[in-house]
Amino acid sequence: MAATLTTPPHAPRYGPAVPAGPERQGVSRRDAAPDDERSVEAAFLAGPDGLRNVWSAYGDLVHTFCSRTLDRDRALDATQEVFITAWRRRSTFDPERGSLAGWLIGIARHKVLGTLRTEGRAPVPVESASMPQGSVDDVVDRIADRMLVAHALDALPERTRRAVTLAFYEGRTHQEVSEVLGLPLGTVKSDIRRGITRLRRTLAGLDD
């Protein structure tokens, strides 16, 4: 693992919550993962070489989450501790239960809350205009949820991301999405179903 982590050039945007609802029967969370995500997760479980890929894939995500809740030095320390803890606990990660990104943010959440409680601090007021309100636990949980949704949306294929955004975050019907994108209705429904399944898998890791 790298000795230090540089501050990422940009932070993932906050995203809205994933719409509630049951997953499609017969589609496992593992099947919903894209090939590159499955490859990183498999390498992580296989041995130490895979940790480099995990760091490369999710280091910025974890560091940005820590930076939104802790000051700079504590955020760097927490990020390092997350990956050390993840490596020691790698045998407990189950890709059938949720994503590695969500699992890592779940570990980061515990690290952040432990630091804040020990020091009697509130989360760093980054982007205060959009900072969730509530108890320390609520604020940290909502930041984690929003960042994971944003991360998952960014990882979707462009067409799928546009369909999901139009349907759930702009309130368009499937027929309206079909007309806006110029795609058959069946294609739109399939894209949205796959996109939402992927989003839920990402968030499921946080709860594991």
Side-chain angles (χ1 to χ4, degrees):
M1 180 181 299
T4 60
L5 176 69
T6 57
T7 301
H10 63 280
R13 63 183 183 278
Y14 278 162
V18 175
E23 290 186 346
R24 180 187 178 193
Q25 291 185 352
V27 178
S28 73
R29 287 169 176 161
R30 181 60 168 168
D31 290 339
D35 290 343
D36 56 346
E37 190 172 286
R38 287 197 295 266
S39 175
V40 171
E41 292 172 352
F44 173 64
L45 293 172
D49 288 344
L51 186 58
R52 297 188 183 92
N53 293 336
V54 174
W55 180 269
S56 176
Y58 302 119
D60 279 356
L61 174 67
V62 172
H63 178 251
T64 301
F65 169 73
C66 293
S67 296
R68 292 194 175 215
T69 47
L70 302 172
D71 61 45
R72 182 180 182 278
D73 289 342
R74 288 177 177 80
L76 287 170
D77 289 343
T79 301
Q80 299 281 354
E81 291 172 6
V82 167
F83 284 90
I84 292 171
T85 300
W87 177 245
R88 290 172 176 169
R89 293 179 50 200
R90 65 190 182 280
S91 63
T92 68
F93 169 65
D94 181 358
E96 292 291 347
R97 295 176 62 87
S99 71
L100 182 55
W103 189 72
L104 290 169
I105 291 296
I107 295 173
R109 173 187 175 277
H110 286 290
K111 296 289 184 185
V112 164
L113 286 174
T115 298
L116 294 175
R117 289 166 181 160
T118 298
E119 300 183 1
R121 294 170 176 260
V124 174
V126 177
E127 298 183 6
S128 57
S130 59
M131 176 68 78
Q133 301 299 311
S135 67
V136 170
D137 285 37
D138 286 343
V139 169
V140 173
D141 285 350
R142 290 171 190 169
I143 292 173
D145 285 345
R146 292 180 180 185
M147 285 193 62
L148 279 174
V149 171
H151 169 78
L153 281 173
D154 285 343
L156 291 175
E158 175 64 22
R159 191 183 76 185
T160 303
R161 180 167 62 250
R162 291 187 65 196
V164 170
T165 300
L166 287 169
F168 290 100
Y169 307 137
E170 295 187 17
R172 308 286 188 107
T173 67
H174 287 182
Q175 183 61 48
E176 289 172 337
V177 174
S178 173
E179 294 169 358
V180 170
L181 298 182
L183 295 171
L185 182 58
T187 299
V188 165
K189 289 181 178 180
S190 295
D191 281 353
I192 291 173
R193 181 172 59 244
R194 284 193 296 267
I196 293 302
T197 301
R198 290 262 296 274
L199 292 175
R200 288 188 185 131
R201 179 181 189 268
T202 297
L203 286 173
L206 181 62
D207 298 328
D208 187 16

